Amino acid sequence: MSFLLSYLPARKTREAANHAEEDAPVEKVSSKAGSDSEHAFKGAEITVLEGDLDVSPGDLTFEEDVAGGMGRHLGVFSCTLLIVGKVIGTGIFSTPSSILESVGSVGAVMMLWLLGFVLSFCGLFIWLEFGTMFPRSGGEKVYLEAAYKRPKYLATIVFAANAILLGFSASGCIVFAENILICAGVAAGQWNSRGIAVGVIVFVTALQGFTPRLGVFIMNILSVFKIVILLFIVITGWVVLSGRTSIADPHVNFRNAFAGSSHSSYDYATATFKVLYSYGGWSNVNYVMNNVKNPIRTLKIAGPLGLAICTVLYILANVSYFAVASKEEIQTAGVTVASLFFGKNVITVTFSQSRVNQELAKEGIPLPFGNRFWASNWPTGKTPFPGLLIHLIPTIIVILAPPPSVAYPFILDVEGYPDQIINVFIVIGLFWLRYHKPNLPRPFKVWWPLAVFFLASAVFLLVAPFLRPPGGVGDTPPLPYYLYCLVGIAILATGVLYWAAWRKLPKLFGYEWVPRKETLDDGTVVTLYSSRKLQ
């Protein structure tokens, strides 16, 4: 039993005290903790119980973690658009066809979009509680570290495997490339679209890495542009529904809306993954908290506001789709529903993902060529260009390697499955901390039934894809219907193996890893490890 308990989320015990040398220092951060902290926590104080080693995520103190880079420069406006730009993208334009094909009816599609809205807000409130408790960059990395302290670094490296191997922007780059070719009147071939897609991600990486303030400005402009595009679609739908266009019966899809609905739980699970992908991005601010002004207040405003804007536009856009086109037209449209619009804001995705990659490197996780480089803000001293490179490499591989026709829907499914596994552990960690650390300051507290509903839905989404669909064929033939689940699990398992090779294997050869902290030239503090023979 003691062996099993050691793998549960951390709690304050005598055994934990014996491992105090492995735990991160506990910080007390207030408005007097330096210039950046003073600006960040104006009118607010964050206090972690003195001497409570079990709740401080990672090995770096709060002051060490926020050191370096551009400091706090993102306000409510930029953070709201950071969410909008990440959420609105390829999903709302390209997934309606595959969702309709899976569930079979307009009514079921609309119910799934409403379910996605409810689940996203439940998740947002959970992430708000964690984000206001631990206002650091990294998102789920930080929250898993706070809850799951044993085995040390296991949660961090499993999350890193998912974040690095699946944290790419390939789909957004491919859709953008296809749009450019359509606008130019050129047929989208296998290699001209891929070449443009690679050029897009390289350009965005250079933009964010060498001109970060310009990158933020363009990111905001593109997010506003996306809102304008969706408003145009919504208004067009209203005009069509008014009956003053050449479309004979714009209400036909809304009569007997549930006719033809699928009765397969597999179909609904895979369709829900696509809906949640379209809503994905509501936690985007949680990944960049070190760059946010007054992070607690800003997160509590920007999170609900950004997701609410996207939800209203999503629901109304779907109404417009079904008013303008027949079910058959939408089902056969495939990715071409997005042919006149940009994909996901690649700039927004790279901005947040690079910060997550930097946080993983700062924590001391072994990476090729050493952690100093990957954790740094080289070469400008303001933005994590090495973290952008970690994002760039898998994106180029995914763009060039698989066939696009099968790869796009399969990638959506694969990205969603490991995220649900992580979500399950996040919610369990939330309840664990609520029970064992009830006195921790919580500037925001989610209503527990919402967290239970989110947990139950995540568990369902993990189980349902393994149920055999009608005919035994999934939505990505000729691939087996369960393959994306196994790939997602394998990616997380890769993290477990990497952790074992790093933390356990050296002991078999008589060595151990000794941590130390080092401050880089740009002010970033990084944890480094060196080997030492066991005494």
Side-chain angles (χ1 to χ4, degrees), residues 22 24 57-60 141 144-145 148-160 359-366 495-496 498-500 502-503 513 515-516 527-529:
E22 296 183 358
D59 283 337
L60 301 178
K141 167 197 171 291
L144 291 170
E145 288 174 343
Y148 300 93
K149 306 291 284 188
R150 294 285 181 271
K152 187 176 175 65
Y153 280 125
L154 177 60
T156 306
I157 294 185
V158 170
F159 172 78
E359 291 300 312
L360 291 169
K362 286 164 61 176
E363 207 60 55
I365 294 176
V496 176
Y498 194 84
W499 169 83
W502 178 44
R503 300 294 296 180
W513 293 109
R516 70 182 189 280
T527 301
L528 301 173
Y529 281 85

Side-chain angles (χ1 to χ4, degrees), residues 56-369:
S56 182
D59 283 337
L60 301 178
T61 66
F62 183 85
E63 291 85 353
E64 290 169 341
D65 190 57
V66 301
M70 293 177 65
R72 304 191 180 277
H73 62 283
L74 300 176
V76 172
F77 179 76
S78 291
C79 287
T80 301
L81 292 181
L82 191 65
I83 292 173
V84 171
K86 177 70 180 293
V87 174
I88 298 177
T90 307
I92 186 59
F93 301 126
S94 60
T95 59
S97 57
S98 60
I99 293 171
L100 179 59
E101 188 173 2
S102 293
V103 299
S105 72
V106 174
V109 170
M110 297 304 297
M111 292 301 294
L112 282 179
W113 284 105
L114 289 173
L115 175 63
F117 148 70
V118 174
L119 290 176
S120 297
F121 263 96
C122 290
L124 173 66
F125 292 149
I126 294 170
W127 266 246
L128 280 178
E129 178 166 333
F130 269 119
T132 54
M133 287 174 63
F134 307 106
R136 301 182 177 199
S137 291
E140 292 87 359
K141 167 197 171 291
V142 176
Y143 316 145
L144 291 170
E145 288 174 343
Y148 300 93
K149 306 291 284 188
R150 294 285 181 271
K152 187 176 175 65
Y153 280 125
L154 177 60
T156 306
I157 294 185
V158 170
F159 172 78
N162 180 60
I164 294 175
L165 297 179
L166 291 180
F168 42 72
S169 303
S171 58
C173 294
I174 291 171
V175 171
F176 179 86
E178 291 175 349
N179 296 340
I180 292 295
L181 292 173
I182 290 172
C183 293
V186 178
Q190 184 174 4
W191 291 107
N192 58 358
S193 60
R194 289 179 174 183
I196 295 174
V198 170
V200 169
I201 190 61
V202 170
F203 169 77
V204 169
T205 300
L207 177 69
Q208 292 281 20
F210 297 105
T211 57
R213 294 196 181 275
L214 177 60
V216 172
F217 176 76
I218 295 177
M219 182 171 64
N220 290 344
I221 293 296
L222 290 178
S223 298
V224 172
F225 182 61
K226 288 186 174 189
I227 295 175
V228 173
I229 289 177
L230 276 183
L231 284 175
F232 174 77
I233 294 174
V234 170
I235 294 172
T236 301
W238 287 347
V239 173
V240 171
L241 287 172
S242 70
R244 300 176 182 178
T245 65
S246 59
I247 296 178
D249 188 1
H251 301 89
V252 64
N253 284 330
F254 302 104
R255 298 192 191 96
N256 198 13
F258 289 91
S261 296
S262 171
H263 297 89
S264 168
S265 58
Y266 172 87
D267 289 339
Y268 286 95
T270 54
T272 303
F273 276 131
K274 293 179 174 63
V275 170
L276 293 179
Y277 169 81
S278 298
Y279 278 107
W282 45 261
S283 60
N284 215 24
V285 177
N286 294 68
Y287 301 132
V288 299
M289 292 290 280
N290 291 354
N291 298 123
V292 177
K293 301 175 184 176
N294 199 355
I296 292 178
R297 174 183 175 274
T298 301
L299 181 62
K300 290 165 70 173
I301 296 173
L305 179 60
L307 184 54
I309 291 172
C310 297
T311 299
V312 172
L313 292 174
Y314 271 17
I315 300 298
L316 295 179
N318 272 275
V319 172
S320 298
Y321 289 156
F322 291 116
V324 172
S326 66
K327 285 174 56 176
E328 292 73 20
E329 289 172 333
I330 293 177
Q331 282 178 319
T332 58
V335 180
T336 59
V337 174
S339 61
L340 298 179
F341 306 99
F342 289 111
K344 265 195 186 296
N345 190 336
V346 179
I347 298 179
T348 302
V349 177
T350 55
F351 180 84
S352 57
Q353 192 62 39
S354 65
R355 270 67 182 173
V356 174
N357 295 336
Q358 183 185 42
E359 291 300 312
L360 291 169
K362 286 164 61 176
E363 207 60 55
I365 294 176
L367 296 170
F369 310 113

